[in-house]
Amino acid sequence: MAQWTSTVGAAQLARQLRAQQPRPLPPGSRKPPAYRALADGVRLLVLEGRVPVAARLPAERELALALSLSRTTVAAAYEALRTEGFLASRRGAGSWTAVPAGNPLPARGLEPLPPEALGSMIDLGCASLPAPEPWLTRAVQGALEELPPYAHTHGDYPAGLPDLRRMIADRYTGQGIPTMPEQIMVTTGAMGAIDAICHLFAGRGERIAVESPSYANILQLMRETGARLVPVAMEEGLGGWDMNRWRQVLRDTAPRLAYVVADFHNPTGALADEQRRRALVEAARSAGTVLVVDETMNELRLDPVDMPRRVCAFDPAGSTVVTVGSASKAFWAGMRIGWVRAAPDVIRSLVAARAYADMGTPVLEQLAINWLMRTGGWEEAVALRRDQARVNRDALVRAVQRDLPEWEFEVPHGGLTLWVRTGGISGSRLAVAGERVGVRVPSGPRFGVDGAFEGYVRLPFTVAGPVADEAAVRLAAAADLVVSGASAGAETPRTFVA
């Protein structure tokens, strides 16, 4: 029986390999042979998690044709990978990716480090902050006081608790966007909301237009549903959305869905103005595309800038825009409460389909968020979150500018992430080297489609003070390892003491 659980096509693998930046060569050293460069490229994709473990690779002849290399070169690269433990083969079953014994399995998403690793590793992979106390404790205590009546029911509310649906609807209405509770479904986080939307609207093989770059975990979620991702390039820096590109993609490919983060975009931090929001809704409506708008960063304004109206304000009929919100970024990632705002018929379809997925969202957490929003605690907690993120952002910016002056970025006015061009250094190699020196950072290609953004990394606003300074020092050390060509080995990370 074959040992592989998925396959990687020759064309796909070739695109990912071509997008990689070559490793800088130390002065006086020779360019590695073609087979060595190919083996190194595949190994890097596996270590980064962008080619999964146990994925069947193309036959040698197929990959040779796709890369315009000789079959001998590909065969030598596969043999080198087998020797190093990154490839396994069996006659009649082909060859599939592996990791050497004792190595941790690479992550394909941006999940946080386990608590036991935090003492030796600075985690810049997960854009989440600690809870804004005392508001978490107060919210849970308030929820416990309101729990008894619900404990006498079955506890299953597929559309969400009526009081919380009404509360969320009233918040939209208060911002000039009339909304009924029937237009709200409470979900288990924003990821649960988008997963439900993708399954309802975009079956296997359907096209979904996405920003390029975009949020890595959402891109992976969409791939797992079998969607065909259509990237739409963002403008450089904080420029954001190129509407000529969006109109062309929506017109030419007619995607079933389009996914955008218009508020302090993840990862770039860009903020779409009202003109772009209106134009995006009009383009989606003309193409018959459902526009999914991720508002999880909406309340994380860190500087005094005017916030544009929400995207759904430009779709008064509710036929084009489906909005996703969440408490996870603005409040705390451990509070897995999200919501969808859409037309009532869409909400009814999502609720009906939910019976075959997670049934409903935990009642106690819904009561906690409802308590916060009802008492004004939400505004107080979000204000604390903004203050913390602002301090972290400014500390990280200073540290990176000091220790890595060749890195380029624009400082966003909100959100939780910094999108950084790494001065010609491969982001993938930098991520691997970072694990050696004790800093975890996601590379740019995780936020693109088929290997784009090799020269970038994403830095979240999760550390400040001495930890931010040490993070920049470790990133500089990782960059030195990449430039010296010594980023492929293993080394015990240093222990950080605050």
Side-chain angles (χ1 to χ4, degrees):
M1 182 177 177
Q3 300 292 312
W4 48 271
T5 57
S6 61
T7 61
V8 179
Q12 176 189 356
L13 184 58
R15 284 195 300 270
Q16 291 180 288
L17 289 166
R18 289 194 181 105
Q20 290 179 334
Q21 292 177 331
R23 184 172 63 194
L25 296 177
S29 57
R30 294 183 178 181
K31 182 179 179 181
Y35 87 89
R36 185 64 262 173
L38 175 56
D40 184 50
V42 173
R43 178 178 53 80
L44 194 62
L45 291 173
V46 173
L47 287 172
E48 266 274 281
R50 290 186 287 124
V51 168
V53 175
R56 187 177 186 272
L57 295 187
E60 295 169 1
R61 187 186 304 276
E62 294 175 3
L63 187 58
L65 287 172
L67 291 171
S68 299
L69 295 173
S70 71
R71 184 177 177 182
T72 302
T73 297
V74 176
Y78 277 18
E79 181 57 34
L81 290 167
R82 276 189 287 270
T83 301
E84 297 163 4
F86 287 94
L87 198 67
S89 304
R90 194 173 70 227
R91 185 179 298 277
S95 299
W96 55 92
T97 55
V99 293
N103 281 34
L105 288 175
R108 301 195 71 188
L110 302 178
E111 64 280 350
L113 283 173
E116 62 269 17
L118 294 177
S120 60
M121 186 77 69
I122 298 177
D123 186 8
L124 297 181
C126 185
S128 298
L129 293 167
E133 289 287 29
W135 292 105
L136 174 62
T137 299
R138 291 180 182 176
V140 173
Q141 290 171 342
L144 286 171
E145 292 175 1
E146 298 175 6
L147 181 62
Y150 295 93
H152 295 291
T153 72
H154 48 66
D156 288 334
Y157 297 88
L161 295 184
D163 285 352
L164 181 55
R165 297 176 72 194
R166 188 177 305 109
M167 180 65 65
I168 294 170
D170 288 347
R171 290 174 69 84
Y172 280 103
T173 300
Q175 296 181 10
I177 307 168
T179 304
M180 303 178 295
E182 292 79 10
Q183 291 178 261
I184 302 295
M185 181 178 87
V186 180
T187 62
T188 308
M191 291 288 287
I194 294 172
D195 182 58
I197 293 166
C198 288
H199 279 91
L200 178 64
F201 286 104
R204 183 166 294 276
E206 292 276 7
R207 294 183 179 91
I208 301 179
V210 296
E211 299 147 327
S212 183
S214 187
Y215 179 35
N217 285 342
I218 293 296
L219 295 181
Q220 188 58 33
L221 181 155
M222 291 175 175
R223 292 187 187 102
E224 296 291 343
T225 66
R228 297 164 60 188
L229 302 185
V230 182
V232 186
M234 299 277 284
E235 294 179 356
E236 285 293 320
L238 299 179
W241 296 259
D242 184 327
M243 287 314 305
N244 289 330
R245 288 174 177 163
W246 271 101
R247 291 188 187 96
Q248 180 180 355
V249 168
L250 294 178
R251 181 181 63 248
D252 294 349
T253 67
R256 188 71 183 90
L257 291 178
Y259 169 78
V260 297
V261 186
D263 302 300
F264 307 120
H265 176 261
N266 186 356
T268 68
L271 176 66
D273 57 28
E274 289 204 357
Q275 182 179 353
R276 285 184 172 91
R277 292 172 187 235
R278 180 182 289 106
L280 191 56
V281 172
E282 292 173 352
R285 184 183 296 119
S286 297
T289 298
V290 175
L291 182 62
V292 181
V293 180
D294 184 335
E295 291 188 339
T296 53
M297 298 286 186
N298 175 266
E299 301 201 51
L300 292 175
R301 179 185 61 182
L302 306 184
D303 296 325
V305 295
D306 292 333
M307 288 296 293
R309 285 177 289 172
R310 295 175 185 258
V311 177
C312 56
F314 302 99
D315 181 39
S319 59
T320 299
V321 176
V322 175
T323 302
V324 173
S326 172
S328 296
K329 296 299 185 185
F331 184 68
W332 184 47
M335 190 66 74
R336 304 304 304 162
I337 298 295
W339 54 86
V340 178
R341 181 197 182 273
D345 61 319
V346 172
I347 295 298
R348 285 193 295 269
S349 296
L350 288 169
V351 171
R354 189 175 194 179
Y356 307 101
D358 65 351
M359 295 295 292
T361 303
V363 169
L364 188 63
E365 294 185 19
Q366 293 187 71
L367 289 172
I369 294 299
N370 189 59
W371 183 92
L372 282 168
M373 291 181 173
R374 189 183 71 248
T375 62
W378 177 266
E379 284 70 24
E380 296 282 350
V382 171
L384 287 175
R385 168 66 75 242
R386 292 192 189 111
D387 291 344
Q388 185 179 17
R390 186 183 304 110
V391 168
N392 289 3
R393 178 196 64 181
D394 295 346
L396 186 65
V397 165
R398 287 192 299 268
V400 173
Q401 288 175 336
R402 181 189 64 238
D403 292 310
L404 292 150
E406 67 279 12
W407 286 17
E408 302 172 16
F409 54 85
E410 291 189 38
V411 181
H413 295 298
L416 288 173
T417 57
L418 201 65
W419 185 237
V420 181
R421 190 193 297 269
T422 55
I425 295 175
S426 162
S428 298
R429 299 181 194 280
L430 189 70
V432 173
E435 297 280 348
R436 293 184 57 194
V437 298
V439 60
R440 181 174 181 255
V441 58
S443 68
R446 289 180 178 266
F447 302 88
V449 178
D450 281 341
F453 308 109
E454 186 60 63
Y456 290 81
V457 294
R458 189 196 74 170
L459 304 180
F461 309 148
T462 53
V463 294
V467 185
D469 292 337
E470 178 67 10
V473 168
R474 296 188 187 189
L475 287 170
D480 288 342
L481 282 179
V482 175
V483 172
S484 69
S487 61
E491 180 179 302
T492 302
R494 293 175 292 157
T495 299
F496 172 72
V497 179

